[in-house]
Amino acid sequence: MGKNRPFIIGAFLIITLVFMVLMTVRIENKAVNVSGDVPGTETTENETDSKPEVLDPIAPAFTGADLTSVPNENWFANGGSVYNQRYSMLDEINTSNVANLKGKWVTHLGSGLEFKYSGESSPIVYNGVMYVNTGAHEVSALDVKTGEVLWTYKPELPPLETVCCGWTSRGVGIGDGLVYVGLLDARLVALDQKTGEIVWETAVEDWKKGYTITSAPLYYNGKVYTGLAGGEYGIRGRLTAFDAKTGKELWRFYTIPGPGDIGYDSWPSDNDSWKRGGAPVWQTPAVDPELGTLYFSTGNAAPDLDGSTRKGDNLFAASIVAIDAETGAYKWHFQEVHHDIWDLDAPNPVVLFDVTIDGKEKKALGQAGKTGWVYFLDRTNGEPLIGINETPVPQDERQATSPTQPIPVGDSFVPQIVTKEDVEKDLPKYGGTYGKIFDPFWNEALLLKPSAFGGANWPPSAYNPETELFYVLGTDMYMNFTRSEEEYEEGEMYIGSIIAPVNEAPVRGTITALDVKTNKIVWQQVWDAMAYSGVLTTKGGLVFVGHNDGRLIAFDAKTGDQVWEFQTDAGVNAPPVTYEVDGVQYISVLVAGNSLAGSKHGDSLWTFALEGDIASGEVAAGDDTKSDEESDKEVVANAEEGQKVYEGNCLACHGKGGEDGHNGPNLKLSDVTGDAQKVIERVKKGGTTMPAFENILTEEQINNVAAYITEVIAKDK
């Protein structure tokens, strides 16, 4: 036995080694490759004892390489990857066959139907399961093959009165087996990916002070990052990092520097305006793991349109900011608008890409501003990639305007001037003053373009490395600016101006492809409505965008020619995503409408495929006809009930009490609000930027809200 012992031990070691190798191979075969190559087990009809390998639907602790890989089978980050390119390598659906694309399934999510809600969420897809939330912040997990809802999380939200721009959420994040969602009351919640049960929740800030969260959280390297919105309420903006497993706050980066911080000298030294300086973070950041850098852009300074009390450039408002992804330490910034008084900030997500210019490989980024320009920078240092020139602009000492503004070399994607010819064509009855971008204003109304709506607003842009084009959505509309004095009150609107669209003026949308090497327009489509959804682009040579009228539309990515459209059942005001299941490419989009876009509301999640069988316009939106009994019912107006209708349907655009809204005129200054019948007619039929509520609200609700407007708002002038 002793002589054989070495042989036995050797044999045992060999067998153990073989066993470990086999187990390693097995484990590697089960491991998830988020770039798309996931091996499975082949089966035949006769193999009754063996089953196909089922991919683990639970997201791991993604690596940096995972999160930067171009989306293929999965769409596991808000922007497709942490580069935010919204580009997919899938090309089964392409310019040659997209005309055959039809609906595969439609699921009604059952929330977000009230008009105050906006459906802007971009779904996350991981190993056969989709995660999406509605404007009511309800999160659902769905089977991507069938649309079956697996679980739904329904948060309890307080009766919020500090929401700038409607109730909305732009998506969720996943990682470490959890689904992360930011709530409108400024809570960050982690849900169990299998069940939707709450694992942890953290109060990021106090909503009563004006803080909200509308962006999708970002998961990266064991951390979850979220920004805070609420710049219209005098907040001090910040981006905060949390431990992904516990919700413990790790660090925060204030977008308004305090005493001793870089940028503090861009605020007045004789007052404390920096404490409520704004600069919210509206969108999901981007990350470059190789550089260890996190990138995001910021919103307006506060008060939004009155610069008289905040002399200086007001960093880091209306800026692109780069910080260390691990520590939150400042790296660099680029400010797009110095001392912004026009609400021309930067709510569009930052997009990262690599490109060769003049024979040199560049690590680049692009960010589409409300100004109507895309700002292309070297992401290693924040220097302009093509050229951005500090240019003298008109001055007004009362507004403490900046002497210069950064003007990019290249083209703007929306008009930036109101001309005499524009006024004669679009506003022949207008007798006021008009001007161009960066013209200052004071007490006299000034008509300008772009409006405070943008330019580019929140709808995400996209970059296609095949075409080397940057795709951005824009809104071309007129807006009147008039300064007004107001005192800061915590939790109240704090914008310092009256801004209002011109009801009789046309509103146009632009879909623009820009060459990232020149910042020149390659092609552009112009609509007679704002373009307000976000962009998806693919290796199949396509660009997908949604329309307010309910169409999902595809363009040729190189030429801009429209190659497909599909009529859904509500406004398509969310970014589409694409993914692959069992070798079949699908496209999904939330179809739920949008308050600020004035589009029809719904609660549908649509999914499309070449093998789909639902034809365009086939799914009915519901029966809008009223019964004879309802039509004959005597309606008695009730202003108290009308206030509830107003807060649920009108407040997002017209503001609390009818003023300081985001996209609607000040009702206290309107000559319509004193006449109940005129109000009823306007509510029913709508206006240029206002939707028709005739088939959204009941006759009783319309009469009640008219009573509230005429009896309460109009009399409080």
Side-chain angles (χ1 to χ4, degrees), residues 197-480:
E197 297 295 323
I198 296 176
V199 175
W200 57 257
E201 69 173 58
T202 298
V204 182
E205 252 297 352
D206 185 355
W207 68 268
K208 297 184 185 70
K209 296 178 181 179
Y211 291 90
T212 56
I213 299 176
T214 59
S215 58
L218 169 69
Y219 172 89
Y220 171 70
N221 201 20
K223 300 178 184 62
V224 178
Y225 306 87
T226 187
L228 285 161
E232 287 73 18
Y233 287 87
I235 67 165
R236 185 186 179 197
R238 72 173 189 258
L239 186 98
T240 311
F242 298 86
D243 185 284
K245 292 183 178 179
T246 66
K248 178 185 177 181
E249 181 176 324
L250 300 176
W251 51 258
R252 57 178 65 176
F253 177 89
Y254 283 106
T255 55
I256 301 296
D261 293 336
I262 296 172
Y264 175 68
D265 58 358
S266 67
W267 291 84
S269 58
D270 58 351
N271 65 44
D272 63 355
S273 58
W274 64 273
K275 291 183 178 179
R276 50 186 177 274
V281 179
W282 285 105
Q283 73 296 307
T284 305
V287 178
D288 184 334
E290 182 182 345
L291 298 175
T293 305
L294 184 146
Y295 307 86
F296 60 95
S297 55
T298 61
N300 58 272
D304 200 349
L305 300 110
D306 180 2
S308 61
T309 62
R310 49 177 175 85
K311 186 176 181 179
D313 282 351
N314 304 145
L315 296 173
F316 297 106
S319 299
I320 301 167
V321 182
I323 62 176
D324 188 287
E326 287 301 308
T327 66
Y330 168 88
K331 287 194 171 184
W332 59 258
H333 76 276
F334 179 88
Q335 190 172 49
E336 297 177 2
V337 181
H338 309 316
H339 190 79
D340 179 23
I341 61 171
W342 307 271
D343 197 18
L344 295 179
D345 50 289
N348 210 256
V350 174
V351 180
L352 311 185
F353 58 93
D354 297 335
V355 64
T356 301
I357 299 179
D358 296 330
K360 296 180 180 179
E361 186 75 16
K362 295 287 188 179
K363 290 183 175 295
L365 67 76
Q367 200 282 331
K370 278 191 185 179
T371 57
W373 284 298
V374 176
Y375 298 83
F376 292 116
L377 307 177
D378 184 322
R379 69 176 183 268
T380 66
N381 54 26
E383 294 299 316
L385 189 68
I386 300 165
I388 301 176
N389 301 314
E390 285 290 338
T391 305
V393 293
Q395 297 294 291
D396 190 318
E397 291 185 3
R398 296 168 296 185
Q399 281 279 32
T401 47
S402 171
T404 64
Q405 293 291 350
I407 308 295
V409 172
D411 297 330
S412 64
F413 53 86
V414 296
Q416 297 171 316
I417 185 171
V418 179
T419 66
K420 180 180 179 181
E421 291 73 23
D422 292 333
V423 173
E424 291 175 348
K425 179 180 66 175
D426 295 333
L427 295 163
K429 296 181 181 180
Y430 183 77
T433 305
Y434 47 89
K436 62 184 181 305
I437 190 170
F438 301 138
D439 278 357
F441 58 92
W442 192 243
N443 292 330
E444 182 183 353
L446 179 65
L447 189 67
L448 296 175
K449 285 186 178 184
S451 73
F453 206 80
N457 208 287
W458 71 268
S461 303
Y463 172 75
N464 189 318
E466 301 287 327
T467 63
E468 295 187 317
L469 299 180
F470 193 95
Y471 304 96
V472 58
L473 303 186
T475 296
D476 171 17
M477 65 183 289
Y478 298 88
M479 184 162 279
N480 261 318

Side-chain angles (χ1 to χ4, degrees), residues 549-611:
D549 64 11
R551 287 178 293 157
L552 182 64
I553 300 173
F555 300 99
D556 185 303
K558 292 181 179 179
T559 67
D561 295 332
Q562 182 174 322
V563 290
W564 175 81
E565 67 177 44
F566 188 101
Q567 182 66 49
T568 67
D569 56 334
V572 185
N573 299 116
V577 303
T578 188
Y579 51 94
E580 185 178 86
V581 181
D582 296 337
V584 177
Q585 184 182 355
Y586 295 88
I587 292 169
S588 292
V589 65
L590 179 65
V591 178
N594 189 286
S595 297
L596 297 187
S599 56
K600 185 177 181 179
H601 277 45
D603 66 344
S604 302
L605 188 66
W606 278 80
T607 291
F608 304 88
L610 294 175
E611 60 181 26

Side-chain angles (χ1 to χ4, degrees), residues 137-211:
H137 288 244
E138 293 189 9
V139 182
S140 293
L142 300 92
D143 185 312
V144 296
K145 289 185 179 181
T146 64
E148 175 189 1
V149 176
L150 305 176
W151 55 255
T152 295
Y153 161 69
K154 299 183 179 182
E156 292 184 8
L157 294 174
L160 299 166
E161 296 181 350
T162 55
V163 180
C164 157
C165 316
W167 286 45
T168 190
S169 178
R170 292 174 186 137
V172 301
I174 61 169
D176 267 340
L178 300 176
V179 178
Y180 306 96
V181 59
L183 302 180
L184 206 57
D185 61 358
R187 279 182 291 157
L188 182 64
V189 179
L191 308 173
D192 185 285
Q193 203 175 337
K194 288 184 178 179
T195 65
E197 297 295 323
I198 296 176
V199 175
W200 57 257
E201 69 173 58
T202 298
V204 182
E205 252 297 352
D206 185 355
W207 68 268
K208 297 184 185 70
K209 296 178 181 179
Y211 291 90

